[in-house]
Amino acid sequence: MAIYQVDSEDANFLFLEKTESPTHISLLYLYDQSALGGDFVRFTQIRQHIANRLNSAPVFRQKIRQTPGNIDFPYWENDQRFDLDFHIRHLGLPKPGDWRQFCIQIARLHSRPLDLSRPLWELYVIEGLDNVEGCPANSFALYLKVHHGAMDEFTALELMQSLHLYTADPQQHEHSQQKVAHLVAKAPSTTQMLAFGLLNNTLRSSRLALQLASNWSTLGRIATGLALRLARRAIDGESVSGTPSTRFAAPLSSSRVFDGGFYPRALLEKYAAEVPGATVSHALLAICGEAMRSYLQGLNELGAEPLQAMLAVNVRNAGAHALIGNNIAVTQVAMHTDLDYPVSRLQAIFATHPELQSIENEELTSFRLRSLYENLPAPLMAWLGRTANSKNSVTREVLSAGNCGVSEMTGSEKPLYLMGARLIGFTGIPPLFSGCGLMFTTSFYCDRVGITFVSDSSMLPDSRVMRRCLDEAVHKVEQYLLEKNHSKPLRSASRRG
């Protein structure tokens, strides 16, 4: 038996949790089971397979226990009444089972907060994908929802990938038992929590004071810049972060929208090759920026200043344990939406940010989320979380440093199978934060790249228009390459499944 306390970065996501801003992440997997002939993957088989793999991470059987008055960070404890059937659920799309219906269902699931009195995850098996382009009839999907306080999207991706095989095995669930033992987690008593909280907050306050003293000159420059931006905001209504304000910086509601598509990887690689040294990551930033620019321009809401993105990067070192929790960095990236698209913009993005995904990038490692929170006393962090969706909150102003968020997920380059069903594609769905209400996720798997987005329905009431802008952004790249090289099309660039 052991005591496990949530660390500062994970606690921040728990303190940010509210009905209008749930802080879970989601992973979405699409499967083709046509190769099984007349047979199909049954819900009971998936349930057994998941049950066999629950020990891959202790958080699947653990829940959080808050401290009195949030005097300290929460603790993990084993759920003595764990019920697997509460966490694994079965849904079916109504006819005709098309992409639009599927996106609406996913948006509804992503809108609902997790039950914080239980282990912080849910898995849905969704059947009835009968009319989705790129997916054969009778395809199905897995939708995993797990709290950001338990793990980041990169850890969740690694765990989900471990459920698959490189060969089709319809009886996979019969021999997937994983024998991994974890110490039982037990939270301290209320009296102990209060004592630990007083001690921990004293230590954090002391470390915070030392940190402030040792970085006084840097903090002075930051404070001066912030004061100037506050003055500009008072005069012109400009965001404190200096980022041009858009409709996606408004306070959040409790409703979400989701959409996106899958595109040929070869097309994006050819686009990136137009700028020596650029990668597909740079190309995807340019495409996401163009989709957002085009959408805002269609509403006559595009300002003169170029749009900015907040890029999330996995900074876990190679070989690090997958269950560390959150270990990500974010950095502000200019999308240069004031320049011609597609090539001039790609050149500018690469010139200003050549090392987008490198964990050695000083700009990223200096802005690891953990460093922002590790020395904050728990009551202060809890207050910042409670007020995050307020119009003038500090947290909201920090998160509005990007007009949108962009994260990149890398899957297998070889086909994967689940109980004999072939994985068609996958994507992730991050939480929204007040100040940054539009998130793009890009995902690599085999010869396809997924580009999906999630937003607040009050900010993006017409998600199909944003989807059309995304398809057009990819189509412009295809047209540019065709006109330049006089080559044949590389396949349709607007596939939904």
Side-chain angles (χ1 to χ4, degrees), residues 181-255:
H182 301 285
L183 291 175
V184 175
K186 182 174 176 59
S189 66
T190 300
T191 302
Q192 290 175 316
M193 285 184 180
L194 292 171
F196 292 159
L198 291 173
L199 175 62
N200 290 336
N201 287 321
T202 300
L203 293 174
R204 292 184 192 113
S205 298
S206 299
R207 290 196 297 264
L208 181 62
L210 290 173
Q211 188 179 46
L212 292 174
S214 62
N215 294 279
W216 184 254
S217 59
T218 301
L219 292 170
R221 290 195 299 273
I222 294 173
T224 301
L226 181 60
L228 291 173
R229 290 196 295 270
L230 281 168
R232 287 201 302 270
R233 177 184 180 186
I235 298 171
D236 303 324
E238 182 181 324
S239 167
V240 174
S241 65
T243 302
S245 182
T246 72
R247 60 172 44 230
F248 300 107
L252 298 170
S253 74
S254 59
S255 179

Side-chain angles (χ1 to χ4, degrees), residues 20-80:
E20 69 274 16
S21 57
T23 50
H24 54 256
I25 58 173
S26 301
L27 290 176
L28 183 60
Y29 286 72
L30 304 172
Y31 297 93
D32 167 18
Q33 54 183 343
S34 60
L36 295 175
D39 203 357
F40 53 89
V41 179
R42 299 178 183 275
F43 172 75
T44 53
Q45 295 173 330
I46 296 176
R47 183 192 180 282
Q48 181 181 342
H49 184 47
I50 298 300
N52 290 343
R53 307 287 296 185
L54 275 183
N55 286 339
S56 59
V59 295
F60 289 127
R61 293 183 181 272
Q62 293 175 355
K63 61 182 182 179
I64 60 165
R65 184 175 169 190
Q66 303 280 5
T67 59
N70 288 323
I71 192 174
D72 204 355
F73 300 153
Y75 290 86
W76 291 106
E77 64 178 5
N78 277 57
D79 185 3
Q80 301 302 321

Side-chain angles (χ1 to χ4, degrees), residues 244-419:
S245 182
T246 72
R247 60 172 44 230
F248 300 107
L252 298 170
S253 74
S254 59
S255 179
R256 302 290 179 263
V257 292
F258 167 80
D259 208 331
F262 295 88
Y263 306 90
R265 186 169 183 168
L267 172 65
L268 303 180
E269 290 174 342
K270 288 190 69 174
Y271 175 33
E274 290 294 301
V275 177
T279 66
V280 176
S281 298
H282 295 96
L284 289 168
L285 267 174
I287 290 170
C288 293
E290 173 61 13
M292 186 178 184
R293 185 206 65 80
S294 180
Y295 177 81
L296 293 173
Q297 186 179 54
L299 297 174
N300 294 317
E301 295 179 4
L302 183 66
E305 295 296 317
L307 299 172
Q308 308 283 329
M310 294 296 287
L311 179 67
V313 179
N314 181 10
V315 293
R316 183 176 288 107
N317 290 313
H321 198 277
L323 308 181
I324 290 176
N326 285 280
N327 203 349
I328 57 177
V330 293
T331 186
Q332 187 182 53
V333 178
M335 294 193 288
H336 298 283
T337 48
D338 55 332
L339 300 179
D340 289 340
Y341 178 81
V343 176
S344 295
R345 198 176 301 173
L346 178 60
Q347 289 172 335
I349 291 173
F350 173 68
T352 52
H353 302 280
E355 300 283 339
L356 279 179
Q357 298 291 331
S358 172
I359 66 172
E360 303 301 327
N361 186 339
E362 291 184 4
E363 184 178 13
L364 295 179
T365 54
S366 66
F367 196 45
R368 292 188 184 190
L369 293 179
R370 193 180 306 277
S371 67
L372 294 177
Y373 309 118
E374 61 185 355
N375 293 326
L376 284 182
L380 175 57
M381 186 184 292
W383 175 79
L384 290 172
R386 285 195 305 272
T387 61
N389 205 32
S390 302
K391 185 175 181 180
N392 297 313
S393 76
V394 175
T395 304
R396 182 168 174 266
E397 292 297 347
V398 170
L399 292 172
S400 64
N403 300 116
C404 67
V406 180
S407 63
E408 180 178 303
M409 310 184 79
T410 302
S412 173
E413 295 187 358
K414 299 179 181 179
L416 295 176
Y417 298 86
L418 180 74
M419 264 84 78

Side-chain angles (χ1 to χ4, degrees), residues 82-89 118-123:
F82 177 75
D83 179 7
L84 182 60
D85 291 319
F86 175 85
H87 294 276
I88 302 181
R89 306 176 183 187
R118 295 175 179 268
L120 302 179
W121 66 280
E122 295 170 359
L123 179 73

Side-chain angles (χ1 to χ4, degrees), residues 132-154:
V132 174
E133 184 180 353
C135 297
N138 202 32
S139 293
F140 71 94
L142 292 186
Y143 169 81
L144 172 69
K145 179 162 62 174
V146 60
H147 203 282
H148 220 320
M151 63 184 71
D152 59 38
E153 55 264 52
F154 305 107

